[in-house]
Amino acid sequence: MENVIEVKDVWKSFKTVQAVKGLNLSIPKGQFVALLGPNGAGKTTLVEMIEGIQKPDRGEITIMGRKWRGHEDELHRVIGLSLQETRFIDKLRVTETLMLFSSFFNLGRKRVEEIIDIVGLRDKTRSYVVNLSGGQRQRLALGISLLNSPSILLLDEPTTGLDPNARREIWEILWSLKENSNTSMILTTHYMEEAENLCDYIVIMDHGVILREGTRKQLLEEENGEKVIEFSVSRGLIPESINAEGVPFRIHRDLSGEKGTVVLSQFESELPELVAYLRSRNINLSHLESRRKTLDDLFIELTGRKIDE
């Protein structure tokens, strides 16, 4: 399958912060890819280098076989992008805003009308941008990124700060795009559910490196039957030394110290051992349940913390 984006051994630092550390990534044509990680993981820096906004200190990025230098006009025409925060001219109407951006690509009114319907802003065409809700502004930003029918769509946390209904509206637009085009997409997010629902391939990042990547099934290793055990203590707290050297289980202790999570690969044999171990540490349980592994659990395994901690 043809790769539309190739990132090879890319490094980027800002003063004393090493934001991206030797990343390698390939994005095939038509694939929706999530860059998943907390704030500070390096997601935005990577996307800005792919967009041509930042230049790598070392390494190479090619877009559809071309480097940015010397091919700027060509690549701008095949990329659509929406940054974390898009600033509009408040006293322009929705249609006027779309017409302004469409003029950059020599597109006419017909494409603007198509975009208005795609992003569901037909009843807001004469509204001033300043009067739009947060979700409507994000749909407008997404519409602008789609004006030039891009081969590559780059979205940097497009639903951050939106309520669940507004977030779902963005998802529905992207689901439709996925079904009806060959557009490749990179989506940065710190929402596990968003990555799972929208993307074929998930790249988990933290502190400038890729910790794990693959399809959801590959990441969760569903075939090996791992189970997640969650438990609460009836009194006292889980000690911070619960994962001291030599202990048989890696237990994630939440910030309150009242709840713990552990992944078991051999459920039937390891569960009794876990209960016995907790009892040996004078940890009295008030609640214990098992469930299938999620991306949240995988992130905890990889980093020792939740994605939003």
Side-chain angles (χ1 to χ4, degrees), residues 4 17 84 91 143-144:
V4 295
V17 177
Q84 281 187 20
K91 290 302 182 180
I144 289 168

Side-chain angles (χ1 to χ4, degrees), residues 98-109:
L98 286 166
M99 287 297 296
L100 171 64
F101 281 91
S102 73
S103 69
F104 301 156
F105 299 100
N106 295 316
L107 299 172
R109 181 71 179 234

Side-chain angles (χ1 to χ4, degrees), residues 186-201:
I186 296 181
L187 167 82
T188 75
T189 182
H190 56 262
Y191 297 125
M192 297 288 184
E193 184 184 12
E194 187 158 273
E196 289 182 295
N197 273 279
L198 292 177
C199 296
D200 316 299
Y201 197 82

Side-chain angles (χ1 to χ4, degrees), residues 168-280:
R168 188 82 178 185
E169 289 170 348
I170 297 291
W171 291 6
E172 289 174 354
I173 296 167
L174 295 175
W175 282 328
S176 179
L177 178 69
K178 189 175 183 180
E179 289 178 3
N180 298 303
S181 75
N182 284 320
T183 300
S184 306
M185 183 183 78
I186 296 181
L187 167 82
T188 75
T189 182
H190 56 262
Y191 297 125
M192 297 288 184
E193 184 184 12
E194 187 158 273
E196 289 182 295
N197 273 279
L198 292 177
C199 296
D200 316 299
Y201 197 82
I202 298 169
V203 178
I204 299 178
M205 293 183 63
D206 197 24
H207 297 302
V209 299
I210 293 174
L211 302 179
R212 194 78 60 83
E213 61 180 292
T215 64
R216 180 183 180 278
K217 182 175 182 179
Q218 290 168 341
L219 289 173
L220 298 183
E221 302 170 336
E222 291 175 343
E223 70 278 1
N224 70 11
E226 285 186 330
K227 294 289 190 299
V228 177
I229 305 300
E230 294 181 326
F231 62 88
S232 303
V233 295
S234 59
R235 61 179 182 273
L237 299 174
I238 302 169
E240 293 186 14
S241 61
I242 192 70
N243 284 317
E245 187 175 349
V247 301
F249 302 99
R250 179 178 172 83
I251 297 171
H252 174 72
R253 172 186 181 272
D254 78 346
L255 293 176
S256 72
E258 298 174 350
K259 296 181 180 180
T261 306
V262 61
V263 177
L264 301 182
S265 56
Q266 304 294 328
F267 177 74
E268 292 184 359
S269 61
E270 290 182 331
L271 181 59
E273 294 176 17
L274 172 64
V275 174
Y277 171 69
L278 294 174
R279 189 178 296 125
S280 73

Side-chain angles (χ1 to χ4, degrees), residues 88-90 92-94 97 127-132 137 140:
F88 299 110
I89 301 172
D90 287 344
L92 279 186
R93 302 179 195 275
V94 166
T97 301
S127 297
Y128 289 113
V129 171
V130 69
N131 295 325
L132 297 180
R137 290 174 70 93
L140 177 58

